[in-house]
mmCIF file of all heavy atoms in Angstrom:
data_model
loop_
_atom_site.group_PDB
_atom_site.id
_atom_site.type_symbol
_atom_site.label_atom_id
_atom_site.label_comp_id
_atom_site.label_asym_id
_atom_site.label_seq_id
_atom_site.Cartn_x
_atom_site.Cartn_y
_atom_site.Cartn_z
ATOM 1 N N SER A 358 50.924 112.429 58.279
ATOM 2 C CA SER A 358 52.286 112.712 57.825
ATOM 3 C C SER A 358 52.721 114.120 58.225
ATOM 4 O O SER A 358 52.556 114.524 59.378
ATOM 5 C CB SER A 358 52.368 112.486 56.309
ATOM 6 O OG SER A 358 53.707 112.355 55.886
ATOM 7 N N TYR A 359 53.269 114.900 57.268
ATOM 8 C CA TYR A 359 53.744 116.241 57.607
ATOM 9 C C TYR A 359 52.614 117.164 58.065
ATOM 10 O O TYR A 359 52.884 118.183 58.703
ATOM 11 C CB TYR A 359 54.462 116.858 56.414
ATOM 12 C CG TYR A 359 55.934 116.539 56.334
ATOM 13 C CD1 TYR A 359 56.597 116.554 55.115
ATOM 14 C CD2 TYR A 359 56.680 116.243 57.476
ATOM 15 C CE1 TYR A 359 57.961 116.273 55.027
ATOM 16 C CE2 TYR A 359 58.031 115.957 57.396
ATOM 17 C CZ TYR A 359 58.666 115.970 56.169
ATOM 18 O OH TYR A 359 60.011 115.695 56.089
ATOM 19 N N GLY A 360 51.371 116.839 57.741
ATOM 20 C CA GLY A 360 50.264 117.629 58.262
ATOM 21 C C GLY A 360 50.264 117.639 59.771
ATOM 22 O O GLY A 360 49.995 118.665 60.413
ATOM 23 N N GLY A 361 50.582 116.512 60.372
ATOM 24 C CA GLY A 361 50.683 116.442 61.825
ATOM 25 C C GLY A 361 51.917 117.131 62.359
ATOM 26 O O GLY A 361 51.886 117.768 63.417
ATOM 27 N N THR A 362 53.033 117.000 61.629
ATOM 28 C CA THR A 362 54.254 117.702 62.017
ATOM 29 C C THR A 362 54.007 119.208 62.034
ATOM 30 O O THR A 362 54.430 119.911 62.955
ATOM 31 C CB THR A 362 55.398 117.374 61.034
ATOM 32 O OG1 THR A 362 55.489 115.958 60.862
ATOM 33 C CG2 THR A 362 56.722 117.900 61.553
ATOM 34 N N GLU A 363 53.312 119.675 61.021
ATOM 35 C CA GLU A 363 52.993 121.101 60.940
ATOM 36 C C GLU A 363 52.108 121.540 62.104
ATOM 37 O O GLU A 363 52.297 122.623 62.665
ATOM 38 C CB GLU A 363 52.327 121.394 59.595
ATOM 39 C CG GLU A 363 53.282 121.242 58.417
ATOM 40 C CD GLU A 363 52.599 120.866 57.127
ATOM 41 O OE1 GLU A 363 51.345 120.957 57.055
ATOM 42 O OE2 GLU A 363 53.296 120.457 56.171
ATOM 43 N N TRP A 364 51.125 120.717 62.460
ATOM 44 C CA TRP A 364 50.262 121.071 63.596
ATOM 45 C C TRP A 364 51.086 121.159 64.885
ATOM 46 O O TRP A 364 50.912 122.099 65.668
ATOM 47 C CB TRP A 364 49.140 120.042 63.784
ATOM 48 C CG TRP A 364 48.313 120.374 64.982
ATOM 49 C CD1 TRP A 364 47.285 121.266 65.050
ATOM 50 C CD2 TRP A 364 48.481 119.870 66.314
ATOM 51 N NE1 TRP A 364 46.792 121.351 66.339
ATOM 52 C CE2 TRP A 364 47.512 120.500 67.131
ATOM 53 C CE3 TRP A 364 49.353 118.945 66.887
ATOM 54 C CZ2 TRP A 364 47.401 120.234 68.488
ATOM 55 C CZ3 TRP A 364 49.242 118.684 68.233
ATOM 56 C CH2 TRP A 364 48.268 119.323 69.031
ATOM 57 N N LEU A 365 51.978 120.208 65.115
ATOM 58 C CA LEU A 365 52.811 120.242 66.312
ATOM 59 C C LEU A 365 53.609 121.536 66.392
ATOM 60 O O LEU A 365 53.647 122.197 67.435
ATOM 61 C CB LEU A 365 53.762 119.041 66.335
ATOM 62 C CG LEU A 365 53.161 117.680 66.683
ATOM 63 C CD1 LEU A 365 54.158 116.568 66.384
ATOM 64 C CD2 LEU A 365 52.745 117.635 68.149
ATOM 65 N N HIS A 366 54.237 121.914 65.294
ATOM 66 C CA HIS A 366 55.062 123.121 65.293
ATOM 67 C C HIS A 366 54.207 124.377 65.443
ATOM 68 O O HIS A 366 54.589 125.310 66.161
ATOM 69 C CB HIS A 366 55.901 123.189 64.014
ATOM 70 C CG HIS A 366 57.108 122.306 64.049
ATOM 71 N ND1 HIS A 366 58.315 122.726 64.571
ATOM 72 C CD2 HIS A 366 57.292 121.026 63.645
ATOM 73 C CE1 HIS A 366 59.194 121.744 64.472
ATOM 74 N NE2 HIS A 366 58.596 120.700 63.914
ATOM 75 N N ALA A 367 53.062 124.412 64.773
ATOM 76 C CA ALA A 367 52.199 125.592 64.863
ATOM 77 C C ALA A 367 51.692 125.792 66.281
ATOM 78 O O ALA A 367 51.757 126.899 66.829
ATOM 79 C CB ALA A 367 51.026 125.454 63.889
ATOM 80 N N TYR A 368 51.210 124.729 66.900
ATOM 81 C CA TYR A 368 50.563 124.862 68.207
ATOM 82 C C TYR A 368 51.572 125.055 69.333
ATOM 83 O O TYR A 368 51.411 125.918 70.198
ATOM 84 C CB TYR A 368 49.699 123.635 68.474
ATOM 85 C CG TYR A 368 48.760 123.819 69.653
ATOM 86 C CD1 TYR A 368 47.834 124.858 69.647
ATOM 87 C CD2 TYR A 368 48.800 122.965 70.744
ATOM 88 C CE1 TYR A 368 46.956 125.033 70.715
ATOM 89 C CE2 TYR A 368 47.933 123.141 71.807
ATOM 90 C CZ TYR A 368 47.010 124.174 71.789
ATOM 91 O OH TYR A 368 46.159 124.357 72.838
ATOM 92 N N ILE A 369 52.623 124.259 69.335
ATOM 93 C CA ILE A 369 53.590 124.320 70.430
ATOM 94 C C ILE A 369 54.353 125.643 70.422
ATOM 95 O O ILE A 369 54.730 126.158 71.475
ATOM 96 C CB ILE A 369 54.548 123.111 70.352
ATOM 97 C CG1 ILE A 369 53.782 121.821 70.698
ATOM 98 C CG2 ILE A 369 55.736 123.277 71.285
ATOM 99 C CD1 ILE A 369 54.579 120.557 70.503
ATOM 100 N N ALA A 370 54.534 126.230 69.242
ATOM 101 C CA ALA A 370 55.333 127.455 69.146
ATOM 102 C C ALA A 370 54.528 128.723 69.410
ATOM 103 O O ALA A 370 55.116 129.791 69.581
ATOM 104 C CB ALA A 370 55.967 127.551 67.764
ATOM 105 N N ASN A 371 53.200 128.625 69.475
ATOM 106 C CA ASN A 371 52.388 129.835 69.453
ATOM 107 C C ASN A 371 51.500 129.961 70.698
ATOM 108 O O ASN A 371 50.445 129.345 70.769
ATOM 109 C CB ASN A 371 51.521 129.844 68.191
ATOM 110 C CG ASN A 371 50.950 131.207 67.892
ATOM 111 O OD1 ASN A 371 50.264 131.794 68.720
ATOM 112 N ND2 ASN A 371 51.224 131.715 66.703
ATOM 113 N N PRO A 372 51.898 130.762 71.668
ATOM 114 C CA PRO A 372 51.081 130.952 72.877
ATOM 115 C C PRO A 372 49.688 131.486 72.573
ATOM 116 O O PRO A 372 48.727 131.170 73.295
ATOM 117 C CB PRO A 372 51.893 131.963 73.700
ATOM 118 C CG PRO A 372 53.297 131.816 73.210
ATOM 119 C CD PRO A 372 53.178 131.507 71.753
ATOM 120 N N GLN A 373 49.547 132.285 71.524
ATOM 121 C CA GLN A 373 48.233 132.816 71.158
ATOM 122 C C GLN A 373 47.285 131.697 70.758
ATOM 123 O O GLN A 373 46.116 131.680 71.158
ATOM 124 C CB GLN A 373 48.363 133.826 70.013
ATOM 125 C CG GLN A 373 47.066 134.565 69.696
ATOM 126 C CD GLN A 373 47.240 135.589 68.595
ATOM 127 O OE1 GLN A 373 48.333 135.762 68.054
ATOM 128 N NE2 GLN A 373 46.168 136.276 68.251
ATOM 129 N N LEU A 374 47.783 130.740 69.980
ATOM 130 C CA LEU A 374 46.964 129.582 69.630
ATOM 131 C C LEU A 374 46.577 128.791 70.874
ATOM 132 O O LEU A 374 45.443 128.331 71.009
ATOM 133 C CB LEU A 374 47.722 128.670 68.660
ATOM 134 C CG LEU A 374 47.738 129.062 67.181
ATOM 135 C CD1 LEU A 374 48.522 128.032 66.392
ATOM 136 C CD2 LEU A 374 46.332 129.200 66.646
ATOM 137 N N GLN A 375 47.511 128.622 71.779
ATOM 138 C CA GLN A 375 47.230 127.863 73.001
ATOM 139 C C GLN A 375 46.175 128.548 73.857
ATOM 140 O O GLN A 375 45.401 127.873 74.539
ATOM 141 C CB GLN A 375 48.528 127.679 73.784
ATOM 142 C CG GLN A 375 49.570 126.840 73.070
ATOM 143 C CD GLN A 375 50.956 127.020 73.636
ATOM 144 O OE1 GLN A 375 51.129 127.319 74.818
ATOM 145 N NE2 GLN A 375 51.975 126.856 72.803
ATOM 146 N N ARG A 376 46.125 129.869 73.825
ATOM 147 C CA ARG A 376 45.116 130.599 74.592
ATOM 148 C C ARG A 376 43.743 130.562 73.921
ATOM 149 O O ARG A 376 42.716 130.488 74.601
ATOM 150 C CB ARG A 376 45.540 132.062 74.780
ATOM 151 C CG ARG A 376 46.699 132.268 75.739
ATOM 152 C CD ARG A 376 46.860 133.745 76.088
ATOM 153 N NE ARG A 376 47.103 134.558 74.905
ATOM 154 C CZ ARG A 376 48.312 134.858 74.453
ATOM 155 N NH1 ARG A 376 49.395 134.389 75.081
ATOM 156 N NH2 ARG A 376 48.460 135.627 73.380
ATOM 157 N N GLN A 377 43.727 130.610 72.599
ATOM 158 C CA GLN A 377 42.465 130.789 71.891
ATOM 159 C C GLN A 377 41.816 129.489 71.435
ATOM 160 O O GLN A 377 40.618 129.462 71.153
ATOM 161 C CB GLN A 377 42.676 131.702 70.677
ATOM 162 C CG GLN A 377 43.086 133.123 71.049
ATOM 163 C CD GLN A 377 43.060 134.051 69.868
ATOM 164 O OE1 GLN A 377 42.460 133.776 68.829
ATOM 165 N NE2 GLN A 377 43.717 135.196 70.013
ATOM 166 N N LEU A 378 42.607 128.414 71.333
ATOM 167 C CA LEU A 378 42.075 127.159 70.811
ATOM 168 C C LEU A 378 42.377 126.005 71.755
ATOM 169 O O LEU A 378 43.492 125.891 72.263
ATOM 170 C CB LEU A 378 42.681 126.858 69.440
ATOM 171 C CG LEU A 378 42.176 127.724 68.274
ATOM 172 C CD1 LEU A 378 43.090 127.582 67.087
ATOM 173 C CD2 LEU A 378 40.763 127.335 67.885
ATOM 174 N N ASN A 379 41.379 125.172 71.962
ATOM 175 C CA ASN A 379 41.543 123.950 72.750
ATOM 176 C C ASN A 379 41.438 122.763 71.806
ATOM 177 O O ASN A 379 40.440 122.608 71.092
ATOM 178 C CB ASN A 379 40.456 123.845 73.824
ATOM 179 C CG ASN A 379 40.500 125.001 74.802
ATOM 180 O OD1 ASN A 379 41.559 125.347 75.304
ATOM 181 N ND2 ASN A 379 39.351 125.612 75.053
ATOM 182 N N PHE A 380 42.465 121.937 71.798
ATOM 183 C CA PHE A 380 42.467 120.725 70.981
ATOM 184 C C PHE A 380 42.247 119.527 71.905
ATOM 185 O O PHE A 380 43.157 119.115 72.614
ATOM 186 C CB PHE A 380 43.785 120.603 70.222
ATOM 187 C CG PHE A 380 43.980 121.662 69.186
ATOM 188 C CD1 PHE A 380 44.652 122.840 69.477
ATOM 189 C CD2 PHE A 380 43.468 121.492 67.913
ATOM 190 C CE1 PHE A 380 44.819 123.817 68.537
ATOM 191 C CE2 PHE A 380 43.633 122.470 66.941
ATOM 192 C CZ PHE A 380 44.306 123.639 67.255
ATOM 193 N N HIS A 381 41.044 118.988 71.887
ATOM 194 C CA HIS A 381 40.692 117.959 72.866
ATOM 195 C C HIS A 381 41.190 116.570 72.470
ATOM 196 O O HIS A 381 41.662 115.811 73.313
ATOM 197 C CB HIS A 381 39.176 117.950 73.066
ATOM 198 C CG HIS A 381 38.654 119.265 73.577
ATOM 199 N ND1 HIS A 381 38.855 119.677 74.872
ATOM 200 C CD2 HIS A 381 37.975 120.257 72.963
ATOM 201 C CE1 HIS A 381 38.308 120.870 75.044
ATOM 202 N NE2 HIS A 381 37.770 121.245 73.898
ATOM 203 N N ARG A 382 41.040 116.244 71.188
ATOM 204 C CA ARG A 382 41.514 114.954 70.691
ATOM 205 C C ARG A 382 42.282 115.179 69.398
ATOM 206 O O ARG A 382 41.737 115.707 68.433
ATOM 207 C CB ARG A 382 40.342 113.993 70.461
ATOM 208 C CG ARG A 382 39.790 113.426 71.765
ATOM 209 C CD ARG A 382 38.520 112.628 71.545
ATOM 210 N NE ARG A 382 38.124 111.953 72.757
ATOM 211 C CZ ARG A 382 37.535 112.538 73.794
ATOM 212 N NH1 ARG A 382 37.280 113.828 73.756
ATOM 213 N NH2 ARG A 382 37.192 111.847 74.868
ATOM 214 N N VAL A 383 43.524 114.754 69.408
ATOM 215 C CA VAL A 383 44.392 114.916 68.243
ATOM 216 C C VAL A 383 44.862 113.528 67.818
ATOM 217 O O VAL A 383 45.465 112.804 68.616
ATOM 218 C CB VAL A 383 45.599 115.817 68.556
ATOM 219 C CG1 VAL A 383 46.527 115.903 67.348
ATOM 220 C CG2 VAL A 383 45.129 117.211 68.975
ATOM 221 N N ILE A 384 44.562 113.163 66.581
ATOM 222 C CA ILE A 384 44.962 111.860 66.046
ATOM 223 C C ILE A 384 46.016 112.100 64.976
ATOM 224 O O ILE A 384 45.746 112.718 63.940
ATOM 225 C CB ILE A 384 43.761 111.100 65.447
ATOM 226 C CG1 ILE A 384 42.668 110.917 66.509
ATOM 227 C CG2 ILE A 384 44.214 109.745 64.908
ATOM 228 C CD1 ILE A 384 41.394 110.291 65.960
ATOM 229 N N LEU A 385 47.222 111.632 65.230
ATOM 230 C CA LEU A 385 48.339 111.796 64.301
ATOM 231 C C LEU A 385 48.610 110.459 63.622
ATOM 232 O O LEU A 385 48.789 109.434 64.291
ATOM 233 C CB LEU A 385 49.583 112.278 65.058
ATOM 234 C CG LEU A 385 49.412 113.587 65.838
ATOM 235 C CD1 LEU A 385 50.701 113.931 66.580
ATOM 236 C CD2 LEU A 385 49.003 114.733 64.919
ATOM 237 N N LEU A 386 48.645 110.473 62.298
ATOM 238 C CA LEU A 386 48.781 109.245 61.513
ATOM 239 C C LEU A 386 50.102 109.266 60.741
ATOM 240 O O LEU A 386 50.257 110.037 59.792
ATOM 241 C CB LEU A 386 47.612 109.123 60.529
ATOM 242 C CG LEU A 386 46.201 109.187 61.132
ATOM 243 C CD1 LEU A 386 45.157 109.314 60.027
ATOM 244 C CD2 LEU A 386 45.925 107.964 61.989
ATOM 245 N N GLY A 387 51.058 108.468 61.168
ATOM 246 C CA GLY A 387 52.339 108.406 60.472
ATOM 247 C C GLY A 387 53.053 109.733 60.457
ATOM 248 O O GLY A 387 53.586 110.148 59.429
ATOM 249 N N VAL A 388 53.096 110.394 61.602
ATOM 250 C CA VAL A 388 53.638 111.751 61.682
ATOM 251 C C VAL A 388 55.081 111.723 62.181
ATOM 252 O O VAL A 388 55.344 111.303 63.317
ATOM 253 C CB VAL A 388 52.775 112.618 62.622
ATOM 254 C CG1 VAL A 388 53.466 113.945 62.920
ATOM 255 C CG2 VAL A 388 51.405 112.846 61.992
ATOM 256 N N PRO A 389 56.044 112.183 61.376
ATOM 257 C CA PRO A 389 57.422 112.270 61.857
ATOM 258 C C PRO A 389 57.590 113.458 62.796
ATOM 259 O O PRO A 389 57.190 114.571 62.471
ATOM 260 C CB PRO A 389 58.238 112.455 60.574
ATOM 261 C CG PRO A 389 57.280 113.074 59.604
ATOM 262 C CD PRO A 389 55.911 112.558 59.965
ATOM 263 N N THR A 390 58.170 113.202 63.963
ATOM 264 C CA THR A 390 58.426 114.263 64.935
ATOM 265 C C THR A 390 59.903 114.629 64.968
ATOM 266 O O THR A 390 60.262 115.789 65.105
ATOM 267 C CB THR A 390 57.970 113.816 66.342
ATOM 268 O OG1 THR A 390 56.596 113.436 66.286
ATOM 269 C CG2 THR A 390 58.123 114.947 67.351
ATOM 270 N N ASP A 391 60.751 113.619 64.858
ATOM 271 C CA ASP A 391 62.197 113.827 64.856
ATOM 272 C C ASP A 391 62.780 112.996 63.717
ATOM 273 O O ASP A 391 62.691 111.765 63.722
ATOM 274 C CB ASP A 391 62.798 113.397 66.196
ATOM 275 C CG ASP A 391 64.296 113.661 66.289
ATOM 276 O OD1 ASP A 391 64.967 113.729 65.251
ATOM 277 O OD2 ASP A 391 64.801 113.788 67.415
ATOM 278 N N GLU A 392 63.395 113.663 62.743
ATOM 279 C CA GLU A 392 63.891 112.962 61.560
ATOM 280 C C GLU A 392 65.376 112.637 61.639
ATOM 281 O O GLU A 392 66.026 112.424 60.619
ATOM 282 C CB GLU A 392 63.570 113.790 60.318
ATOM 283 C CG GLU A 392 62.072 113.959 60.112
ATOM 284 C CD GLU A 392 61.717 114.653 58.819
ATOM 285 O OE1 GLU A 392 61.666 113.981 57.766
ATOM 286 O OE2 GLU A 392 61.491 115.881 58.857
ATOM 287 N N SER A 393 65.894 112.559 62.855
ATOM 288 C CA SER A 393 67.312 112.228 63.031
ATOM 289 C C SER A 393 67.602 110.768 62.737
ATOM 290 O O SER A 393 68.725 110.419 62.363
ATOM 291 C CB SER A 393 67.747 112.515 64.476
ATOM 292 O OG SER A 393 67.608 113.872 64.797
ATOM 293 N N PHE A 394 66.617 109.902 62.929
ATOM 294 C CA PHE A 394 66.888 108.472 62.999
ATOM 295 C C PHE A 394 66.160 107.699 61.904
ATOM 296 O O PHE A 394 65.115 108.123 61.409
ATOM 297 C CB PHE A 394 66.481 107.934 64.375
ATOM 298 C CG PHE A 394 67.013 108.775 65.510
ATOM 299 C CD1 PHE A 394 66.170 109.613 66.228
ATOM 300 C CD2 PHE A 394 68.358 108.751 65.834
ATOM 301 C CE1 PHE A 394 66.652 110.403 67.265
ATOM 302 C CE2 PHE A 394 68.864 109.536 66.862
ATOM 303 C CZ PHE A 394 68.009 110.372 67.577
ATOM 304 N N GLY A 395 66.725 106.536 61.574
ATOM 305 C CA GLY A 395 66.166 105.692 60.527
ATOM 306 C C GLY A 395 65.461 104.469 61.080
ATOM 307 O O GLY A 395 65.353 104.273 62.292
ATOM 308 N N ALA A 396 65.017 103.622 60.168
ATOM 309 C CA ALA A 396 64.197 102.473 60.536
ATOM 310 C C ALA A 396 64.923 101.468 61.429
ATOM 311 O O ALA A 396 64.290 100.710 62.158
ATOM 312 C CB ALA A 396 63.697 101.770 59.270
#
């Protein structure tokens, strides 16, 4: 859920994280990325 949304925002926004951490496999479960649209 929002835990995955938070990871996306933290990692994509931060060049320092991208330099220092490698995320090899990321499993997102029911993660909203864009909340513009409904079912």
